[in-house]
Amino acid sequence: MACHLRLILLVLSIPFVAALWPIPRGLSNGTTPLKLSSSFDIQASFKNVPSDLQDAIQRTKSHLKTDTFERLVVGRGSVDAQAIAHANSLKTLVLSLNHGAAVRPIAVEVNTVAIDARDESYSLSIPSHSAQATLVANSTLGLFRGLTTFDTMWYHNGGDKYILNAPVTITDSPAFPYRGFSFDTARNFYPVSDIKRTLDAMSWVKLSVMYWHIADSQSFPLQVKAFPELAAKGAYSNDEFYSESDVKDINQYANERGIDIVMELDSPGHTTAIGMAHPEHVACINKSPWTKYANEPPAGQLRIAVNATVEFSKTLFQSVIDLLTGTMMSSGGDEVNLPCWNEDEETIQALAQSNTTIGQALSSFVQEVQGVMAKNGKMPFIKSDMVLTHNVPVINGTGIVVWQSYADAVKVAQRGLRFIHQPSDYFYLDCGAGDWTGNNILGNSWCDPFKTWQRAYSFDPYANLTADQYSLVLGGQMPIWSEQSSLENLDPIVWPRLAAGAEVFWTGATLPDGEPRLGVNATNGVNAFARINELRFRLVDRGVKAIALQPKWCALRPGLCDADS
Amino acid sequence: MARTSAFLLLSALLSVFAPVDALWPQPRDITTGSSALKLSGGFDITIAGSVHNAPLDLHQAVERANAQLRSDKLERLVVGRGDADKGALSKAKTLSKLTLSLEKGATAHTITSEAQKPIEARDEAYVLDVPADGSGATLTANSTLGLFRGLVTFGQLWYQSGSTTYSIEAPIHIKDSPAYPYRGYMLDTARNYFPVSDIKRAIDAMSWVKINQFHWHIVDSQSFPLEVPGFLELSQKGAYASSMVYTAKDVQDVVSYAGARGIDVLVEIDTPGHTSVISKSHPEHIACAEATPWATFANEPPAGQLRLTSNETTQFTADLLVAVSKLFPSTMFSTGGDEINANCYDQDPETQKALNATGQTFLQALDSFTQVSHAALKKAGKTPVVWEEMVLSFNVTLAPETITLVWISSADVQAVAQKGFKLIHAASDYFYLDCGGGGWVGANPDGNSWCDPFKTWQKSYSFDPVANLTADQAKLVLGGQHLLWTEQSSPSNLDPISWPRAASSAELFWTGPGQNISTVLPRLHDLSFRLQQRGIHTIPLQPLWCALRPGACDLTA
């Protein structure tokens, strides 16, 4: 009897199904231990299961065999041995689609449906005393999201996979459709395998977009059919570029994991590398002192006032569009530098000929490239300074990437524009590593300090917005700018911090118990901190080198390392 | 005429490259030419017959150096990489051997035994000659340790272009020795655990920048991963898991791996603070064990300190330190002594009872406690090393040979020197690798790193080891080190958080201060890329665009 009592106390001390990240929006659970049967299987109840859903099922089954993550508690898995010794065994998880739902590949749900029209909802029911669990959704994409929930809830001990909280009932769907990661592969190059590992981890926390900042002033690692010379001359080397087949491969890999690719061709700034092959299109190329002509070296911007350059840019956009599926694309547009154009002979001449100002030329350039995107059915994205600093008109339906500071979101909302949050003061993963320019001995990171997961998690997507502006918020994304990152530190600089953004935009304002996500105890040890520690250990178990958030002593004792404990 | 102009062009080309050599740390005396020189296919490093009984670890070091020349394959950091030098190499002379010998009268002891000598008795000097005409290169030293340092230098001279391994700076003449005898790297393996393989990789990287001291902060309040003969219960109950323990065999493995690479291991058992985890097996020895709120009892959770007023605890501590000291052949041993929390003892009834009984103050008790453990270590042949508070805050009676680690601030260096103690620079404001990672305690969404901001390589490199010291006081400076506290580090990020930044102090204390910081970045890039070739995941310091164009990304470029 004493033994029984201890067991109950143990189980009661676990708040939610602790392992889940992002926490589902609707969740109830019991206190009964449950194991996976050694013959556990996942089946679909419908015909013509798309191959990418079959693959996803296989991956989940494989995780359930290979994961060795033990519950974070003093004593780890062995602590639960007794509790699960006589637990019921779950034999199957059955996937089904709601009546009338189309049976289409996950990839098609992702790359043909507009971001705000995707159905990612699902219901997962795991009974405590029958042999079968069920997962139901309106789309294969919803089933995929449900599968990632299912495959990150089990603990490992010896030969067992188990939970302590059956029955579990989850009714889930994202608060925001756009949940992204912005990836700069231009300052330093990342091999395809690193991008795929990142996509895997993104899918486990239900991110829906990889915003690919593929090229920049330092390198142009993208092979495009119309201009193969851009990569040939602008990539760091013959080994450091993405071929057309690489891009298609990554795109497909992402789509099958519920992730859409938004390719950004940052323009007209951040384009020096184009000048390696086409110097005629780039103003102030490598001009010194770079501090006068660009935010970072090397200087160089597209000659937006020159017709030939505008035509070149349109062809470039079209060529990139031809390479990718998906419903969105970005023309970037951050940090354009006026002295660069003001001192450029070709630009001065072209402006004089057409009797326009540089501001007019910028507006017209943006309209042209946005036109290419719109013509191809892509929702265009653009950086917030284009709108807020340069007052460039954008076409209807454009999404704004708000990056300089959170405060800019309100200004964008006031203009009635839809946007995603990417504020440097909350979400930049690269901040806090010191300045990287040479001969700047005491230079600090421009966006110091380091953004902890707690800082990112404390972000409120609706802060300072009026209720009728809420619908303008598509979601948000955390970016890694790669001046000081490469494949050598990709995992630890990104993970598990990126997961903070994933929960901000999936779970939204309210936790499944009805408490506000940003309550006073939001990041304390027994709440989100306990869950993100679990996620971190799970990522490491699956080969993603996530950074330690605390001494392991703390991870094993939720709450004891809080500031006030 | 055509030939002449081609030759002129080649010389011009080479002279442009000359300032960018690949050595880190920069030798203290070096002259280089501008001739291309390549290694022959059968290139070999041999030990001269005059070196009698060359020890095994020297033979192994030679083997490793030979293998690295073939596996490094580092292409020069220039636009076009290795291909850029193809033309220059077509007529290059070929080097077929490097011969190692000892100065007349020197005896060939093992590198390990030379590395484990007292810190100021090690001879690391060497002379390296690489002629441009293809005749054999020579490396001479007074000790096998010096030969090892010279081998590391030799291994950094070469680039790869296609199948050719070459230098473009022959002839090369180097006469080198360190400015400071102590050049360290500290790793905390208690906040989070690191497998032996990670420690060995760190030791490899250390050896490649001539660091000679691995300061192993092996246990702390969070975990006790060291298996100590006679005190097995400490790791059995205090390690994070049975798989997260350094056995006596592991320690021997690490110590000998380091020794063979010219590195001595300074172990630290931090006392009397930072010892909470001892309470898992010996609650009788720990005051305020896991007391809450932790913030009033310790600098970080969990709270707990040795009961320094207890005779039993004092004896236990001395016995433990001696038992640990037997695992480590170094002549130094650190007893720590940082961040002692007075409130922990104020609130501990046992401690208060003992103080009342003896009429001692806390400081007097700390003094007696320390004297007992230091006396035991002295008997075991060890020189004690302590954190600065022992000298500056607690005024503990310390033997004059005691070495002080200055960590709180570089501003404290002068005060330690004024007390006449030898010191090691470990200042948090210059050398802490963990700073700038944000707060890590829970429920603290805007918490920042206590030692923010991040210490860039440039910040560390700008450190002046003798700032505010008189000439006599300057002699007390043994050297310095980078340090990694691991609240937010683990095997996942050990390499990128440590390298190449830790190389910054390696050069500062080998080459000595006063180098022109504005010209060293290309060399550090070179080192970083070479470390990557050797399997160390160094963080990029800049976009590759900048690394390929020295100076182009300077703030003033």
Side-chain angles (χ1 to χ4, degrees):
Chain A
M1 279 299 106
C3 170
H4 214 97
L5 188 68
R6 195 171 139 253
L7 179 82
I8 290 166
L9 284 173
L10 192 76
V11 171
L12 285 179
S13 67
I14 303 159
F16 292 125
V17 177
L20 297 178
W21 192 284
I23 193 88
R25 295 173 79 198
L27 166 67
S28 66
N29 58 264
T31 55
T32 307
L34 176 70
K35 286 192 281 202
L36 287 185
S37 160
S38 58
S39 62
F40 174 79
D41 197 14
I42 302 176
Q43 294 156 2
S45 70
F46 50 94
K47 291 207 172 80
N48 304 319
V49 178
S51 67
D52 59 8
L53 181 57
Q54 284 176 19
D55 291 346
I57 290 171
Q58 283 309 316
R59 287 197 304 275
T60 294
K61 283 168 69 176
S62 164
H63 283 149
L64 293 173
K65 288 202 168 63
T66 57
D67 282 357
T68 59
F69 171 68
E70 300 189 21
R71 194 159 69 89
L72 288 177
V73 62
V74 176
R76 304 301 296 273
S78 63
V79 167
D80 296 331
Q82 209 179 354
I84 61 171
H86 303 291
N88 187 45
S89 286
L90 186 69
K91 290 207 168 55
T92 49
L93 169 66
V94 176
L95 275 51
S96 53
L97 286 169
N98 281 322
H99 187 70
V103 182
R104 302 195 296 180
I106 300 167
V108 171
E109 297 288 349
V110 168
N111 65 33
T112 64
V113 181
I115 184 78
D116 55 354
R118 290 177 203 163
D119 193 333
E120 302 181 84
S121 65
Y122 68 93
S123 299
L124 176 63
S125 175
I126 302 173
S128 55
H129 290 97
S130 80
Q132 181 178 310
T134 57
L135 172 58
V136 186
N138 291 317
S139 71
T140 53
L141 178 59
L143 290 177
F144 178 72
R145 298 290 180 233
L147 275 176
T148 65
T149 301
F150 188 82
D151 96 352
T152 49
M153 62 165 52
W154 303 89
Y155 297 116
H156 171 87
N157 180 50
D160 289 322
K161 294 285 187 292
Y162 66 95
I163 54 175
L164 296 169
N165 315 59
V168 179
T169 308
I170 293 172
T171 312
D172 204 9
S173 62
F176 298 92
Y178 190 117
R179 305 175 306 278
F181 171 53
S182 169
F183 199 169
D184 164 13
T185 59
R187 271 55 178 259
N188 283 303
F189 179 81
Y190 298 81
V192 171
S193 59
D194 289 284
I195 296 177
K196 286 186 173 176
R197 189 178 65 259
T198 304
L199 288 165
D200 283 334
M202 287 167 65
S203 75
W204 300 333
V205 293
K206 301 186 170 62
L207 289 176
S208 62
V209 176
M210 183 176 101
Y211 183 99
W212 195 351
H213 182 85
I214 195 163
D216 206 298
S217 279
Q218 289 83 358
S219 77
F220 197 100
L222 173 63
Q223 194 183 60
V224 278
K225 197 164 265 159
F227 305 107
E229 66 276 16
L230 288 174
K233 300 213 171 151
Y236 277 136
S237 72
N238 289 337
D239 304 320
E240 292 168 289
F241 72 90
Y242 305 102
S243 68
E244 293 196 343
S245 68
D246 287 338
V247 172
K248 286 181 172 158
D249 182 27
I250 287 169
N251 186 62
Q252 180 68 18
Y253 193 90
N255 288 173
E256 288 174 352
R257 282 156 184 77
I259 298 166
D260 203 357
I261 304 280
V262 176
M263 190 70 93
E264 176 181 276
L265 277 185
D266 202 351
S267 57
H270 292 273
T271 46
T272 315
I274 288 174
M276 303 288 269
H278 289 283
E280 72 277 16
H281 293 315
V282 179
C284 79
I285 189 162
N286 291 330
K287 199 164 178 180
S288 174
W290 62 262
T291 45
K292 185 178 172 192
Y293 302 105
N295 277 33
E296 64 182 53
Q301 302 184 156
L302 288 171
R303 286 191 166 123
I304 49 171
V306 175
N307 285 336
T309 301
V310 175
E311 286 310 311
F312 163 84
S313 304
K314 286 165 69 180
T315 311
L316 176 58
F317 270 76
Q318 184 62 53
S319 196
V320 172
I321 286 168
D322 292 344
L323 198 51
L324 289 148
T325 59
T327 59
M328 301 175 279
M329 192 183 174
S330 176
S331 60
D334 54 314
E335 300 182 321
V336 298
N337 179 296
L338 294 177
C340 169
W341 286 316
N342 291 343
E343 297 178 20
D344 180 53
E345 277 310 317
E346 280 79 352
T347 300
I348 294 166
Q349 228 169 47
L351 289 174
Q353 261 170 22
S354 57
N355 195 26
T356 49
T357 65
I358 192 70
Q360 288 166 329
L362 184 59
S363 292
S364 142
F365 173 87
V366 169
Q367 272 177 344
E368 293 286 354
V369 294
Q370 283 208 318
V372 178
M373 291 187 271
K375 196 180 77 193
N376 286 271
K378 306 281 181 187
M379 173 183 179
F381 279 80
I382 197 164
K383 293 281 172 68
S384 48
D385 38 343
M386 275 283 128
V387 176
L388 298 180
T389 310
H390 303 287
N391 276 306
V392 168
V394 294
I395 64 174
N396 276 344
T398 298
I400 312 298
V401 181
V402 181
W403 69 274
Q404 274 157 314
S405 126
Y406 170 68
D408 290 343
V410 179
K411 298 180 205 157
V412 169
Q414 281 163 353
R415 297 186 185 214
L417 297 168
R418 294 203 293 176
F419 63 92
I420 58 170
H421 288 291
Q422 186 192 284
S424 62
D425 44 348
Y426 282 86
F427 287 163
Y428 272 32
L429 294 163
D430 54 311
C431 298
D435 185 63
W436 55 267
T437 58
N439 210 6
N440 184 21
I441 299 162
L442 303 182
N444 207 353
S445 168
W446 75 269
C447 51
D448 204 61
F450 183 87
K451 310 305 170 217
T452 64
W453 80 268
Q454 298 186 75
R455 170 74 180 169
Y457 194 83
S458 73
F459 185 78
D460 175 2
Y462 291 150
N464 303 323
L465 299 181
T466 61
D468 57 345
Q469 290 170 336
Y470 289 177
S471 63
L472 299 174
V473 184
L474 283 169
Q477 62 187 9
M478 295 180 74
I480 181 70
W481 301 107
S482 297
E483 287 87 352
Q484 294 161 299
S485 290
S486 70
L487 63 126
E488 309 290 347
N489 68 324
L490 174 63
D491 288 4
I493 197 100
V494 170
W495 299 103
R497 288 188 293 151
L498 178 57
E503 180 155 305
V504 167
F505 294 107
W506 178 280
T507 308
T510 310
L511 294 171
D513 61 2
E515 292 295 314
R517 185 182 61 79
L518 292 180
V520 285
N521 297 323
T523 60
N524 80 7
V526 296
N527 293 328
F529 216 139
R531 284 187 298 109
I532 202 167
N533 270 334
E534 283 218 12
L535 174 70
R536 181 265 167 181
F537 278 79
R538 226 175 246 286
L539 288 168
V540 171
D541 187 47
R542 289 185 182 177
V544 177
K545 294 183 180 183
I547 202 168
L549 298 174
Q550 293 188 312
K552 190 176 175 185
W553 191 92
C554 306
L556 296 177
R557 295 166 180 83
L560 293 197
C561 291
D562 285 359
D564 53 356
S565 67
Chain B
M1 280 342 267
R3 257 182 84 171
T4 313
S5 56
F7 182 78
L8 278 177
L9 183 69
L10 180 69
S11 315
L13 206 63
L14 289 177
S15 64
V16 169
F17 300 151
V20 188
D21 53 34
L23 299 177
W24 193 283
Q26 177 77 356
R28 294 174 76 199
D29 187 346
I30 178 169
T31 58
T32 58
S34 54
S35 298
L37 179 68
K38 49 191 179 186
L39 296 185
S40 73
F43 176 84
D44 197 18
I45 305 176
T46 56
I47 301 170
S50 61
V51 180
H52 295 295
N53 303 317
L56 181 62
D57 60 7
L58 182 61
H59 280 291
Q60 288 170 338
V62 165
E63 252 172 64
R64 288 197 305 276
N66 258 325
Q68 253 162 14
L69 291 171
R70 284 161 178 85
S71 62
D72 268 3
K73 298 197 188 317
L74 174 65
E75 298 191 32
R76 203 156 63 85
L77 290 173
V78 62
V79 176
R81 303 301 296 269
D83 287 348
D85 291 334
K86 268 198 175 131
L89 296 175
S90 57
K91 298 230 168 62
K93 292 271 199 287
T94 301
L95 181 69
S96 58
K97 67 174 178 179
L98 168 69
T99 307
L100 274 52
S101 55
L102 287 172
E103 299 286 356
K104 225 175 222 153
T107 314
H109 299 293
T110 61
I111 297 171
T112 305
S113 64
E114 298 282 357
Q116 292 169 352
K117 281 183 174 174
I119 187 76
E120 290 168 281
R122 298 172 202 169
D123 191 334
E124 302 181 86
Y126 68 92
V127 176
L128 176 64
D129 250 311
V130 182
D133 61 4
S135 57
T138 59
L139 171 61
T140 54
N142 284 315
S143 73
T144 55
L145 182 58
L147 290 177
F148 179 74
R149 300 286 180 238
L151 273 177
V152 167
T153 302
F154 187 80
Q156 291 179 343
L157 291 173
W158 310 97
Y159 295 111
Q160 192 80 11
S161 173
S163 59
T164 306
T165 307
Y166 67 96
S167 164
I168 48 170
E169 294 179 289
I172 299 161
H173 179 79
I174 293 170
K175 188 171 183 302
D176 203 9
S177 63
Y180 290 94
Y182 186 111
R183 305 173 309 279
Y185 169 81
M186 194 214 78
L187 180 64
D188 160 14
T189 59
R191 270 55 177 258
N192 281 303
Y193 177 82
F194 295 80
V196 169
S197 58
D198 287 291
I199 295 176
K200 285 185 171 177
R201 196 175 63 259
I203 287 170
D204 282 335
M206 289 160 63
S207 77
W208 295 329
V209 292
K210 301 187 173 70
I211 286 175
N212 69 348
Q213 201 69 46
F214 171 38
H215 177 183
W216 195 352
H217 182 87
I218 196 165
V219 299
D220 208 297
S221 276
Q222 287 84 356
S223 77
F224 199 103
L226 175 62
E227 184 183 275
V228 186
F231 297 85
L232 298 180
E233 67 279 11
L234 291 174
S235 53
Q236 280 162 0
K237 301 242 169 112
Y240 279 136
S242 56
S243 59
M244 295 187 169
V245 168
Y246 304 108
T247 64
K249 199 165 154 260
D250 288 336
V251 169
Q252 198 183 18
D253 188 20
V254 168
V255 166
S256 62
Y257 192 88
R261 285 155 184 79
I263 297 167
D264 183 39
V265 181
L266 163 61
V267 70
E268 173 167 306
I269 303 292
D270 204 348
T271 59
H274 292 273
T275 47
S276 176
V277 73
I278 290 176
S279 71
K280 298 290 182 197
S281 50
H282 291 282
E284 71 279 14
H285 293 316
I286 302 298
C288 77
E290 302 189 10
T292 58
W294 62 261
T296 64
F297 294 98
N299 279 31
E300 65 182 54
Q305 303 182 159
L306 286 166
R307 284 197 167 114
L308 42 65
T309 51
S310 150
N311 289 335
E312 289 76 20
T313 301
T314 305
Q315 194 56 49
F316 165 84
T317 305
D319 292 346
L320 172 63
L321 298 184
V322 169
V324 172
S325 80
K326 289 185 174 146
L327 299 172
F328 294 86
S330 177
T331 61
M332 298 180 285
F333 189 103
S334 172
T335 59
D338 56 317
E339 300 183 320
I340 303 170
N341 182 295
N343 186 52
C344 169
Y345 292 127
D346 288 347
Q347 306 288 321
D348 183 45
E350 312 279 327
T351 301
Q352 290 309 309
K353 211 164 78 185
L355 287 176
N356 287 336
T358 57
Q360 276 188 316
T361 64
F362 152 68
L363 286 180
Q364 287 166 332
L366 175 62
D367 195 52
S368 322
F369 173 86
T370 307
Q371 290 203 47
V372 171
S373 57
H374 281 201
L377 285 170
K378 187 172 184 178
K379 214 172 133 196
K382 306 292 182 183
T383 302
V385 178
V386 296
W387 294 108
E388 64 170 280
E389 293 102 307
M390 298 299 274
V391 173
L392 298 182
S393 312
F394 306 122
N395 206 14
V396 171
T397 311
L398 297 166
E401 69 272 20
T402 305
I403 298 165
T404 306
L405 291 155
V406 181
W407 71 276
I408 298 175
S409 160
S410 53
D412 295 342
V413 168
Q414 192 184 28
V416 171
Q418 278 165 354
K419 297 211 170 196
F421 287 103
K422 289 183 181 172
L423 62 94
I424 295 163
H425 290 296
S428 61
D429 46 340
Y430 282 89
F431 298 126
Y432 271 31
L433 293 163
D434 53 312
C435 298
W440 56 266
V441 299
N444 191 23
D446 292 320
N448 207 353
S449 169
W450 74 269
C451 53
D452 204 61
F454 184 87
K455 311 305 171 216
T456 63
W457 75 268
Q458 303 183 78
K459 168 80 175 172
S460 309
Y461 199 86
S462 73
F463 183 75
D464 177 1
V466 296
N468 304 318
L469 301 183
T470 66
D472 275 347
Q473 289 168 346
K475 291 176 192 152
L476 297 169
V477 178
L478 291 174
Q481 63 187 12
H482 268 86
L483 308 90
L484 182 61
W485 302 104
T486 58
E487 286 86 354
Q488 295 161 298
S489 289
S490 73
S492 291
N493 67 326
L494 176 61
D495 287 9
I497 197 130
S498 298
W499 304 103
R501 285 189 295 152
S504 188
S505 62
E507 173 154 306
L508 177 66
F509 294 108
W510 176 281
T511 314
Q515 310 300 311
N516 182 353
I517 194 166
S518 64
T519 59
V520 299
L521 179 55
R523 274 193 302 112
L524 189 55
H525 274 310
D526 220 285
L527 171 75
S528 185
F529 281 79
R530 192 178 292 277
L531 290 177
Q532 287 180 8
Q533 294 297 105
R534 294 179 183 177
I536 310 292
H537 296 290
T538 64
I539 202 169
L541 299 173
Q542 294 187 318
L544 181 58
W545 192 90
C546 306
L548 298 179
R549 294 165 180 82
C553 293
D554 283 4
L555 186 61
T556 47

